Amino acid sequence: MSTWEFLYNGFLVALQPENLIYAFIGVLIGTAVGVLPGIGPMSGVALLIPVTSTLTAGAPPEEAAASAIILLAGVYYGAMYGGSTTSILLNTPGESSSVVTALDGYQMAKQGRAGAALSIAAVGSFFAGVVALIALVFLAQPLSELALKFGPAEYFSLMILGLCAVSGLAGRSMTKALIMTVFGLLLATIGIDNVSGVARFTYDIPELYQGLEFLTIAVGLFALGEVFKSILEREQNEGAIARIDRIYPTKKDLQESAGPIVRGSLLGFFIGVLPGAGATLASFFSYIMEKKISRQPEKFGKGAIEGVAAPESANNGASGGAMIPLLTLGIPGSGTTAILMGALIMYNVQPGPLLFDEHPQVAWGLIASMFIGNLMLLILNMPLVKVFAKIIQTPPKYLIPIIIAISFFGVYAVQVHTFDLFLLIACGVCGYFLAKNDFPLAPLVLGLVLGPMIENNLRRALTASNGDWSIFVTHPISLLFLVIAILWLLVPILLKLRGKKVVVNEEG
């Protein structure tokens, strides 16, 4: 059978009434999961696995597996979209990949353009989902073989490139961005070392043995930081509420977003294929790329619609890309796909090279359902844009308690520990003072996310080479990433020095 015939059979599975209902329930729950910080796609999928086994009880094994994975996958990519809503409206990232969306999305909301930001996020997510699925249908096998060639040295160099690239998220100073990146890496070392079992920077505080929870830091810096700003600088802004002029994007917004949506979708998909890279890195990379190629990079961070379109497209593209190593190799590329893999195995469906031969109904039914689910997301969320956009018009005296409640509930739900709440408040105070002094917060967050990955891949690479550091330059792909990373830092410095010499010569 050809790919088209397999896909046609997949649609026959996905369009069965019960599977349409499961897909709808999945994307609906996923959107809610993404909106609430703290739950996230990983927790949402894990919590629903027992529910799916109850819902599909009594169905033939193959049909039960297809229905269950359709619902769980719906939660996954639904959460990827939902995370943008609170990022744009309240500066509260629903999950890690939505941190970048908050940089420009929240500024747009404050300018009365919340409707346009939410609409573009919905359109970008839908387009990225469709692009990722088309690519998944035709490129699954070759891309899986390419991803297998990435060893720990290549991943380490890719992460280093990611860290160097965050200089593109700097405010007015690259130095401040690098300071924040290093600070994020230092925070990532807190906890018990996985290899040696030694406690690092825990100061005999039991709550620090597991390390710092990413979401606590991100929500504290962004959401509570904004709350402290609203309270402490009340005299200057007097709680002015931005008026929302229109709900849907203008023709100009669509023209400015078209390129970023296409580029973000493709970049997100290819990064999603790499196990471990994930949607967070994809959204950061796409934002940095758009800022680099923009003719007006200074507008980023001040309400540029490209700064919403690109990362939102990238994180949905990455969720589609992450399905490739899961389905074709049996290698989960992220925590959420690891849980999806566990769910498949629970239904006696083994992901890997034989999945498409042994269980075509499950594999192709899932792919087809993702087309339908993305369409459902668009139809479901576009009418709600008007409702969501009104949230930003809530007076600050009501909005601030809502943000605090969502933040505290989300953070407490992750580990159910009061220590996280105190850490949240501390991060909120730090976030306020850092932002006030033009220290960019995004590099710290990315350093915290990439820190453990960098350390693990560094150790694995050095273990494989018996401690020989040349492994990072003898592997061509690794060397290429390192050269790009060095150039990323050096070129702006050299251009700045050259500009100063020109000025000096002209004055002389």
Side-chain angles (χ1 to χ4, degrees):
M1 288 174 77
S2 69
T3 302
W4 292 110
E5 288 173 301
F6 279 121
L7 190 59
Y8 171 75
N9 289 335
F11 271 104
L12 292 179
V13 173
L15 288 169
Q16 289 172 6
E18 65 272 21
N19 288 339
L20 284 173
I21 293 168
Y22 287 137
F24 180 76
I25 292 170
V27 296
L28 190 65
I29 293 172
T31 304
V33 160
V35 166
L36 289 171
I39 303 177
M42 203 189 310
S43 305
V45 172
L47 287 168
L48 281 172
I49 289 176
V51 178
T52 60
S53 61
T54 307
L55 287 173
T56 58
E62 196 82 354
E63 287 179 22
S67 299
I69 205 69
I70 282 169
L71 191 151
L72 295 174
V75 175
Y76 177 30
Y77 53 84
M80 287 299 182
Y81 169 78
S84 66
T85 306
T86 45
S87 288
I88 291 167
L89 297 178
L90 308 176
N91 204 30
T92 309
E95 25 89 33
S96 58
S97 58
S98 298
V99 167
V100 196
T101 309
L103 301 179
D104 280 279
Y106 184 63
Q107 294 302 319
M108 285 183 69
K110 289 208 294 187
Q111 294 161 16
R113 297 166 65 207
L118 289 165
S119 298
I120 285 296
V123 172
S125 297
F126 172 72
F127 183 83
V130 172
V131 166
L133 288 164
I134 292 169
L136 175 61
V137 169
F138 296 103
L139 300 177
Q141 207 57 45
L143 283 176
S144 300
E145 289 167 9
L146 177 67
L148 279 177
K149 293 178 182 174
F150 271 58
E154 285 78 11
Y155 278 115
F156 171 79
S157 301
L158 177 66
M159 303 298 170
I160 294 296
L161 171 58
L163 287 183
C164 292
V166 293
S167 60
L169 296 175
R172 285 173 227 142
S173 166
M174 187 192 287
T175 308
K176 286 182 177 178
L178 293 174
I179 288 170
M180 295 297 280
T181 305
V182 172
F183 188 47
L185 288 171
L186 289 173
L187 291 178
T189 61
I190 294 172
I192 291 179
D193 179 24
N194 290 333
V195 176
S196 63
V198 174
R200 303 184 297 190
F201 307 110
T202 55
Y203 305 102
D204 295 325
I205 301 170
E207 289 86 357
L208 290 178
Y209 289 160
Q210 290 182 30
L212 298 178
E213 178 59 44
F214 162 80
L215 196 95
T216 308
I217 306 293
V219 171
L221 290 174
F222 286 91
L224 277 202
E226 194 62 37
V227 165
F228 284 122
K229 184 182 176 185
S230 299
I231 294 168
L232 297 172
E233 298 180 8
R234 187 174 63 242
E235 301 80 24
Q236 288 95 316
N237 60 33
E238 296 181 352
I241 305 162
R243 186 169 160 270
I244 295 166
D245 297 316
R246 58 183 294 136
I247 297 301
Y248 297 111
T250 62
K251 191 177 179 183
K252 187 185 175 209
D253 287 337
L254 290 169
Q255 286 172 343
E256 289 177 349
S257 305
I261 286 173
V262 173
R263 288 188 289 269
S265 302
L266 294 171
L267 181 69
F269 174 76
F270 287 111
I271 289 177
V273 171
L274 302 173
T280 306
L281 192 61
S283 60
F284 271 93
F285 265 138
S286 66
Y287 185 89
I288 291 160
M289 181 175 75
E290 289 307 318
K291 190 175 178 182
K292 282 283 179 190
I293 65 176
S294 175
R295 291 176 184 172
Q296 296 173 287
E298 67 281 352
K299 70 179 181 179
F300 280 78
K302 297 174 184 173
I305 199 156
E306 299 96 316
V308 174
E312 273 308 299
S313 303
N315 78 40
N316 270 60
S319 65
M323 288 291 178
I324 284 187
L326 170 69
L327 298 177
T328 59
L329 302 173
I331 300 171
S334 64
T336 314
T337 49
I339 293 167
L340 285 173
M341 180 175 171
L344 282 167
I345 292 168
M346 190 178 88
Y347 284 97
N348 295 317
V349 176
Q350 180 62 52
L354 299 176
L355 173 67
F356 286 83
D357 293 328
E358 293 179 353
H359 305 281
Q361 184 179 344
V362 176
W364 289 102
L366 169 62
I367 291 169
S369 79
M370 289 174 78
F371 275 103
I372 296 162
N374 272 286
L375 186 61
M376 284 179 177
L377 265 178
L378 188 67
I379 295 167
L380 185 70
N381 286 293
M382 286 305 272
L384 293 177
V385 163
K386 196 168 187 175
V387 179
F388 287 142
K390 291 291 178 189
I391 292 171
I392 201 69
Q393 291 186 313
T394 309
K397 63 180 179 181
Y398 303 121
L399 194 58
I400 287 171
I402 291 169
I403 296 172
I404 294 171
I406 290 173
S407 301
F408 273 65
F409 168 77
V411 165
Y412 188 71
V414 178
Q415 297 194 98
V416 195
H417 213 292
T418 51
F419 174 81
D420 285 341
L421 301 181
F422 291 112
L423 180 62
L424 178 72
I425 295 166
C427 288
V429 174
C430 291
Y432 167 69
F433 285 108
L434 287 168
K436 192 175 182 183
N437 292 287
D438 198 36
F439 280 88
L441 302 176
L444 184 152
V445 172
L446 189 63
L448 187 64
V449 170
L450 294 186
M453 298 185 207
I454 289 172
E455 188 177 2
N456 289 339
N457 285 300
L458 175 66
R459 276 183 161 150
R460 285 172 57 211
L462 291 176
T463 302
S465 66
N466 291 322
D468 184 1
W469 289 81
S470 67
I471 186 172
F472 298 108
V473 291
T474 52
H475 287 213
I477 299 173
S478 173
L479 177 62
L480 177 66
F481 286 148
L482 289 176
V483 169
I484 296 170
I486 293 165
L487 289 174
W488 205 299
L489 291 178
L490 286 180
V491 169
I493 295 168
L494 293 172
L495 288 173
K496 194 178 276 189
L497 290 172
R498 188 180 169 191
K500 283 180 182 175
K501 282 181 185 175
V502 170
V503 171
V504 170
N505 289 337
E506 285 175 355
E507 288 175 352

